[in-house]
Amino acid sequence: MEVIDDGVRIRVPGEKLRSILAALSLSVGRSVSRDELIDELWGEEPPNSAKNSLHGHIARLRRVLVAHGGKATLRNVIQTSPTGYILDLPEENIDASRLFQLVFRADATSASSPQEAVDLLNEAVSLWCGPALIDAGNGMICQVAYTQLEEVRLGAYERLFDLRLRLEHPRAVIPGLDQLHARYPLHERFCEQLITALYLAGRQADALNTYHRTREYLSQHLGLQPGNGLRDTFQDILRQAPHLTKQY
């Protein structure tokens, strides 16, 4: 987790402080109840002093923002509500919110302005600097958010490379797809896109070999065969289906 104010990076020490800030950031502008925050910090077995401890953590978090950011007004970023606490910032100041907004805008413009959609998706995936919320504890809010954010990220990459395959020469997108497929070997859509790019670049043998390696990997690690989408693309490549070149 990272906080930046006017170019100044603010380190938030302590997992519990980061957990609180993460939970508030994921509901930016809306109140997160004290009970939700207590569950996030201590799970099903909170201490008897949980409410007082939460109040103390909030006070410490405000002090950290002021001390490390050098502005007394930063304490007002965390507001107290009748039921809990609110992170009082615009949504666009939170990377997670920006990610959703950028992907939504890309989807809305992909048909009419594919290059604009590519730019938006590139901006979306560039927000990532590692696994989301990895240092913000194991509370349910952060765990659910991690899963959701990872799904949106992978979906953004899928959309991005679909568009790039339509706009660029297939050879240009092969390195990026190769890296994604190596990093996520169980994510079949990346393999499907990669073998399509290889085929369109005149590398049919490499496309078929990539498919067979993926099929073996899925069988060994999951005991499964490739899904319909990947199998259909493989068959299209085998028979050199005309629609592949027309589609891209």
Side-chain angles (χ1 to χ4, degrees):
M1 171 166 290
E2 187 173 65
V3 179
I4 302 174
D5 179 62
D6 285 343
V8 176
R9 296 179 184 273
I10 302 173
R11 189 180 72 86
V12 180
E15 186 177 275
K16 282 188 166 46
L17 296 192
R18 292 192 293 269
S19 295
I20 292 169
L21 190 55
L24 295 177
S25 297
L26 293 164
S27 296
V28 62
R30 298 182 295 277
S31 179
V32 180
S33 72
R34 294 176 181 84
D35 288 342
E36 288 176 296
L37 291 172
I38 287 171
D39 287 344
E40 189 70 8
L41 296 182
W42 291 287
E44 297 180 356
E45 298 181 357
N48 293 331
S49 60
K51 288 187 178 180
N52 287 335
S53 294
L54 173 62
H55 180 76
H57 286 314
I58 292 288
R60 185 182 173 211
L61 180 55
R62 286 169 171 156
R63 289 196 299 270
V64 165
L65 294 175
V66 171
H68 292 202
K71 294 180 183 177
T73 54
L74 285 175
R75 78 174 313 278
N76 300 323
V77 167
I78 300 175
Q79 296 284 331
T80 303
S81 74
T83 58
Y85 300 93
I86 302 170
L87 187 66
D88 187 16
L89 288 173
E91 280 196 8
E92 58 267 23
N93 284 22
I94 308 299
D95 283 353
S97 298
R98 288 180 60 206
L99 175 71
F100 290 117
Q101 292 168 359
L102 288 165
V103 172
F104 177 81
R105 288 168 55 195
D107 286 345
T109 62
S110 60
S112 58
S113 303
Q115 185 56 57
E116 181 182 352
V118 166
D119 294 340
L120 290 167
L121 290 169
N122 274 322
E123 185 179 351
V125 297
S126 73
L127 293 171
W128 287 74
C129 55
L133 306 169
I134 193 171
D135 59 350
N138 297 313
M140 187 59 66
I141 293 174
C142 285
Q143 290 300 303
V144 170
Y146 167 80
T147 300
Q148 184 181 23
L149 288 166
E150 188 68 10
E151 288 176 355
V152 172
R153 175 180 181 247
L154 295 179
Y157 272 119
E158 290 179 7
R159 294 167 173 83
L160 175 60
F161 280 98
D162 272 341
L163 289 166
R164 289 188 60 193
L165 274 169
R166 289 175 171 83
L167 295 174
E168 304 174 35
H169 194 283
R171 281 196 296 268
V173 303
I174 288 172
L177 282 171
D178 205 19
Q179 290 179 3
L180 280 172
H181 177 51
R183 186 172 181 182
Y184 300 99
L186 300 178
H187 195 82
E188 294 185 26
R189 180 62 180 143
F190 293 147
C191 181
E192 185 180 339
Q193 292 172 311
L194 176 58
I195 65 175
T196 299
L198 289 167
Y199 171 72
L200 294 175
R203 297 168 55 184
Q204 182 172 354
D206 289 337
L208 299 179
N209 287 336
T210 298
Y211 171 82
H212 289 305
R213 287 197 304 271
T214 300
R215 184 185 63 183
E216 291 175 7
Y217 191 92
L218 290 169
S219 177
Q220 291 175 2
H221 288 79
L222 296 180
L224 298 174
Q225 291 297 308
N228 292 337
L230 183 52
R231 288 202 311 269
D232 289 348
T233 301
F234 169 69
Q235 292 296 328
D236 287 342
I237 290 172
L238 272 181
R239 60 188 179 87
Q240 299 183 344
H243 78 85
L244 282 176
T245 54
K246 292 179 181 178
Q247 183 179 357
Y248 296 102

